[in-house]
Amino acid sequence: MKSPCIDICVFDGRTGWCEGCGRTKDEIRAWKKSQPHQQRRIESDLPRRLAKLAPTAKLIRPDQ
């Protein structure tokens, strides 16, 4: 599965989520070694995370 990274690596201090892709640093580090079902679980939660960050995020995803 392709990484959801969009090369905007700025982390929210409150949640620890990347404001570009929505993953945590640990999730980013482990992505390539993660099983497909783990990647799908993370990826399915990213829209919720990014929506929660949106009101305070400094950056906007270019595809949205």
Side-chain angles (χ1 to χ4, degrees), residues 17-57:
W17 299 333
C18 173
E19 293 181 9
C21 71
R23 296 177 295 166
T24 65
K25 288 180 182 179
D26 288 341
E27 290 168 341
I28 292 167
R29 283 187 203 107
W31 186 260
K32 288 184 181 181
K33 295 180 182 178
S34 297
Q35 296 296 315
H37 72 277
Q38 294 168 313
Q39 292 175 342
R40 284 191 300 273
R41 180 188 52 78
I42 293 166
E43 197 163 54
S44 70
D45 195 37
L46 298 181
R48 179 191 67 81
R49 294 179 187 184
L50 291 170
K52 191 171 182 176
L53 288 175
T56 60

Side-chain angles (χ1 to χ4, degrees), residues 5-16:
C5 180
I6 60 168
D7 294 324
I8 299 174
C9 300
V10 176
F11 292 89
D12 179 76
R14 188 175 47 83
T15 63

